[in-house]
C-alpha cells in the first residue's frame, strides 16, 4: 500500500512536470502579448466587432470571470464530506493547467496571426470559459478518479471543447455569448459520458454508500458558494457582450433568472421532499440552473418577465431532475453523477439553447433595434434569414451533444486503461494521492 501510494504521487508529479514543460515550450515559440487594440491588429478570421475590444474594458470582466471559476467551483465541490478537501485541491490544479492549455488550443483557432498567438484579456476570458467546462465535467466524476486521470481529462477535454466552440461560434455563427451550449451543456454531458465509460458497479455503489454528510459545514460551504455565484456569475454570462449596452441586458437578465430560480426552489422542494425549508445546497443548485439557462438567451431577452419565466422553469427542472432523473441515470443508464451536473448544468443548458432558438425566431429590428447587429450580425446584414439562424441555433445543440458524447467516450476509454487506474485494494485512493482525509477532521 505505501509503495503504491508513493508511485501514484510520483506519477502525478511527473505528469505535472511534463505538461508544464510542454506549455512553457509552446508559449515560448508561439505566444506573445497582444498589441494595443486597433482595426489593424484584428486577424481576418476573427469577428472584430466581438473580439477586438479595448483591454481596459475587458480586464474587469476577466477578473470577475476568473474569480468565479476558481472560487465558486472550489466551494461547489468542498461540501462533499469525504471527497471535498482533495477535490478542492484538484480543482485548483485543473484551473492552473487548463487555462494555459486552453490559451494555446484556442489561440491556434481564434487568436493566431503571422505565426503567433496574441494573448490578451479577451483570450484569457475565453480560456476561463473552457476551464469552466472542464470543471463542470469533473463534477460528475469526483471521488471516482485519481488526480492523474483528472489532469488527462483536462488535457483532452480542452481540445474537444475548443473545436466545438470554434465550429459553433466562428464557422456557424451561433449566438451563445454566455455559453449555455459550449460550457454548461458540453461540460455536463462530456462528464456524464466519461462517467458512463468508467462505471464500475461494485466500486461505485460502495463509494455512494460510504459518502458522509458534513452537516453544518456543508451548509457553510453552500452558503459561501451561493453568495459568490450571485456576485460573479452575471459577469460570466456577459463577459463576451460586445459593448456596455449589450452587457447590461445580459447582466440584468441573469439576475432576474437567478432570483426566479431561487424562488422555484422554495415552491417545489417542500412538495418533493419532507422538509418545510429547502436545504442550502438545493438553493445553490437552483441558482446555478437559473444562470445556465441564461447563457444563450441573456443578451436576447428584451423584457424582464421573460428572464423571470426562464429562471423559474430552470429552477423547477433542476429540482425535478434531482428527484426523478438522477435515480434513472444511476440505475438504468449506469451513470454516477457525483455533483448532479446533469441537473444544474445539462438540463438548464438545453433549456437555454431551446429558449435561444425561440428568441431567434422573434428577433427583428423593431424589437432589438441597433443591438440586432451585435447579437445576430449575419441577420442584420441580410445575409441570413431568421428561420435559417434559428435552425442553426437548434442544430448547434445537437452538434454540441454529439461532440460531448464522442469526446467523453474517447476520454473515458483513455482514462480506463489499466496503467491509469488506482490500485484496486487501496482505500479511497483518489484522495490519498494528495493526503489522507479522515472523517474525524471534517
Amino acid at each position: 500500500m505505501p509503495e503504491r501510494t508513493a508511485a501514484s504521487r510520483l506519477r502525478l508529479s511527473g505528469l505535472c512536470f511534463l505538461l508544464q514543460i510542454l506549455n512553457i515550450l509552446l508559449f515560448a515559440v508561439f505566444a506573445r502579448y497582444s498589441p494595443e487594440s486597433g482595426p489593424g491588429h484584428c486577424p481576418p478570421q476573427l469577428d472584430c466587432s466581438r473580439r477586438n475590444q479595448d483591454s481596459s474594458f475587458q480586464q474587469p470582466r476577466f477578473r470577475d470571470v476568473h474569480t468565479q471559476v476558481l472560487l465558486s467551483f472550489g466551494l461547489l465541490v468542498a461540501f462533499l464530506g469525504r471527497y471535498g478537501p482533495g477535490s478542492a485541491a484538484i480543482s485548483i490544479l485543473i484551473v492552473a493547467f487548463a487555462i494555459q492549455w486552453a490559451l494555446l488550443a484556442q489561440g491556434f483557432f481564434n487568436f493566431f496571426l503571422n505565426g503567433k498567438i496574441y494573448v490578451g484579456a479577451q483570450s484569457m476570458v475565453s480560456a476561463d470559459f473552457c476551464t469552466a467546462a472542464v470543471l463542470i465535467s469533473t463534477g460528475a466524476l469526483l471521488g471516482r478518479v485519481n488526480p492523474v486521470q483528472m489532469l488527462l481529462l483536462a488535457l483532452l477535454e480542452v481540445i474537444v471543447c475548443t473545436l466545438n466552440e470554434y465550429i459553433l461560434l466562428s464557422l456557424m455563427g451561433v449566438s451563445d455569448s454566455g455559453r449555455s451550449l459550449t460550457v454548461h451543456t458540453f461540460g455536463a454531458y462530456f462528464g456524464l459520458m466519461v462517467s458512463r465509460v468508467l462505471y464500475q458497479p461494485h466500486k461505485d455503489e460502495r463509494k455512494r454508500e460510504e459518502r458522509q454528510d458534513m452537516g453544518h459545514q456543508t451548509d457553510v460551504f453552500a452558503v459561501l458558494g451561493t453568495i459568490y455565484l450571485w456576485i460573479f456569475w452575471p459577469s460570466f454570462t456577459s463577459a463576451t457582450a460586445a459593448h456596455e449596452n449589450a452587457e447590461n441586458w445580459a447582466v440584468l437578465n441573469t439576475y432576474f433568472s437567478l432570483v426566479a430560480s431561487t424562488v422555484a426552489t422554495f415552491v417545489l422542494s417542500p412538495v418533493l421532499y419532507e422538509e418545510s425549508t429547502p436545504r442550502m445546497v438545493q438553493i445553490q443548485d437552483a441558482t446555478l440552473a437559473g444562470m445556465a439557462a441564461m447563457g444563450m438567451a441573456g443578451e436576447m431577452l428584451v423584457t424582464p418577465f421573460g428572464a423571470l419565466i426562464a429562471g423559474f422553469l430552470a429552477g423547477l427542472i433542476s429540482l425535478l431532475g434531482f428527484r426523478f432523473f438522477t435515480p434513472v441515470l444511476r440505475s438504468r443508464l449506469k451513470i454516477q453523477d457525483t455533483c448532479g451536473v446533469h441537473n444544474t448544468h445539462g438540463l438548464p443548458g438545453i433549456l437555454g439553447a431551446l429558449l435561444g432558438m425561440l428568441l431567434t425566431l422573434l428577433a427583428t429590428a423593431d424589437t432589438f433595434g441597433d443591438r440586432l447587429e451585435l447579437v445576430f450580425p449575419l441577420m442584420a446584414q441580410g445575409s441570413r434569414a431568421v428561420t435559417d439562424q434559428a435552425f442553426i441555433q437548434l442544430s448547434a445543440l445537437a452538434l454540441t451533444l454529439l461532440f460531448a458524447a464522442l469526446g467523453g467516450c474517447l476520454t473515458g476509454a483513455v482514462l480506463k486503461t489499466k496503467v491509469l487506474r488506482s490500485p484496486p485494494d487501496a482505500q479511497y485512493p483518489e484522495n490519498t494521492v494528495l493526503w489522507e482525509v479522515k472523517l474525524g477532521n471534517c
Side-chain angles (χ1 to χ4, degrees):
M1 172 65 178
E3 292 79 5
R4 291 184 177 183
T5 303
S8 297
R9 290 196 184 98
L10 293 177
R11 185 167 53 183
L12 175 62
S13 176
L15 181 61
C16 289
F17 176 79
L18 291 176
L19 292 179
Q20 187 58 45
I21 293 298
L22 174 63
N23 281 333
I24 291 174
L25 293 176
L26 291 175
F27 268 87
V29 175
F30 295 106
R32 299 293 183 271
Y33 284 119
S34 177
E36 293 295 325
S37 61
H41 296 122
C42 183
Q45 67 267 32
L46 294 182
D47 181 0
C48 298
S49 65
R50 283 188 169 272
R51 297 187 180 272
N52 190 26
Q53 303 170 31
D54 182 71
S55 60
S56 64
F57 180 57
Q58 284 297 324
Q59 286 170 2
R61 296 182 179 191
F62 160 66
R63 181 182 61 244
D64 290 349
V65 171
H66 187 67
T67 303
Q68 185 271 328
V69 168
L70 183 62
L71 193 54
S72 297
F73 278 101
L75 290 172
L76 283 175
V77 302
F79 69 82
L80 294 175
R82 188 178 293 276
Y83 307 117
S87 298
I90 295 303
S91 295
I92 296 175
L93 172 62
I94 291 174
V95 170
F97 166 73
I99 285 181
Q100 301 177 68
W101 187 239
L103 279 169
L104 293 168
Q106 293 179 333
F108 285 112
F109 287 102
N110 298 320
F111 303 100
F112 195 71
L113 180 64
N114 298 328
K116 301 298 179 183
I117 298 171
Y118 288 98
V119 178
Q122 181 60 34
S123 58
M124 292 294 289
V125 169
S126 298
D128 270 324
F129 275 133
C130 190
T131 301
V134 176
L135 291 173
I136 289 171
S137 298
T138 61
L141 303 166
L142 292 178
R144 301 173 52 237
V145 294
N146 58 50
V148 171
Q149 290 172 309
M150 284 285 198
L151 204 54
L152 290 176
L153 179 140
L155 176 71
L156 298 175
E157 183 172 0
V158 164
I159 297 174
V160 182
C161 179
T162 299
L163 180 60
N164 179 63
E165 182 183 79
Y166 177 72
I167 293 175
L168 264 60
L169 304 184
S170 299
L171 299 184
M172 297 175 61
V174 175
S175 179
D176 187 26
S177 64
R179 304 302 197 263
S180 280
L181 285 177
T182 57
V183 171
H184 296 285
T185 304
F186 176 86
Y189 288 99
F190 188 99
L192 291 174
M193 290 307 300
V194 174
S195 178
R196 177 62 184 88
V197 174
L198 296 180
Y199 177 73
Q200 295 176 284
H202 303 295
K203 184 177 180 180
D204 287 345
E205 186 64 24
R206 174 177 61 82
K207 287 182 178 295
R208 186 173 68 86
E209 291 175 353
E210 289 174 340
R211 290 193 187 113
Q212 300 291 331
D213 186 11
M214 292 169 64
H216 176 68
Q217 190 171 356
T218 299
D219 293 332
V220 171
F221 281 126
V223 170
L224 292 175
T226 304
I227 291 174
Y228 278 106
L229 289 173
W230 276 62
I231 295 173
F232 292 110
W233 203 290
S235 294
F236 186 93
T237 305
S238 64
T240 58
H243 58 62
E244 294 184 9
N245 187 27
E247 177 196 11
N248 288 337
W249 278 29
V251 170
L252 294 174
N253 284 327
T254 302
Y255 272 117
F256 283 125
S257 177
L258 69 88
V259 296
S261 63
T262 301
V263 173
T265 308
F266 287 85
V267 172
L268 194 57
S269 181
V271 177
L272 298 177
Y273 303 96
E274 296 180 357
E275 299 175 351
S276 58
T277 304
R279 296 178 58 192
M280 196 64 213
V281 173
Q282 294 172 341
I283 298 174
Q284 185 184 48
D285 293 333
T287 302
L288 271 171
M291 297 183 201
M294 281 296 102
M296 179 179 289
E299 64 176 357
M300 299 181 187
L301 283 165
V302 297
T303 57
F305 79 87
L308 290 172
I309 293 175
F312 190 76
L313 289 176
L316 296 179
I317 289 175
S318 177
L319 280 171
L320 291 172
F322 276 105
R323 184 66 177 86
F324 299 107
F325 292 168
T326 298
V328 174
L329 288 177
R330 184 171 58 245
S331 61
R332 299 291 180 85
L333 301 181
K334 311 302 181 185
I335 296 176
Q336 301 289 339
D337 186 3
T338 307
C339 289
V341 298
H342 181 244
N343 309 304
T344 56
H345 297 279
L347 292 177
I350 292 177
L351 174 64
L354 296 176
L355 178 59
M357 181 203 67
L358 176 61
L359 293 173
T360 303
L361 290 173
L362 302 177
T364 63
D366 293 334
T367 56
F368 275 60
D370 295 338
R371 295 183 70 258
L372 182 63
E373 185 177 358
L374 301 173
V375 181
F376 300 109
L378 296 178
M379 288 171 51
Q381 298 167 7
S383 58
R384 180 175 290 176
V386 173
T387 53
D388 293 337
Q389 183 68 43
F391 175 76
I392 288 176
Q393 297 287 132
L394 181 61
S395 61
L397 172 60
L399 189 61
T400 297
L401 293 174
L402 177 63
F403 269 102
L406 294 179
C409 288
L410 176 62
T411 302
V414 173
L415 302 186
K416 198 174 183 179
T417 55
K418 186 176 181 180
V419 68
L420 295 176
R421 284 183 291 183
S422 301
D425 58 343
Q427 186 178 18
Y428 311 116
E430 293 76 11
N431 268 339
T432 55
V433 170
L434 291 180
W435 57 66
E436 185 176 355
V437 178
K438 298 181 180 180
L439 287 177
N441 295 334
C442 293

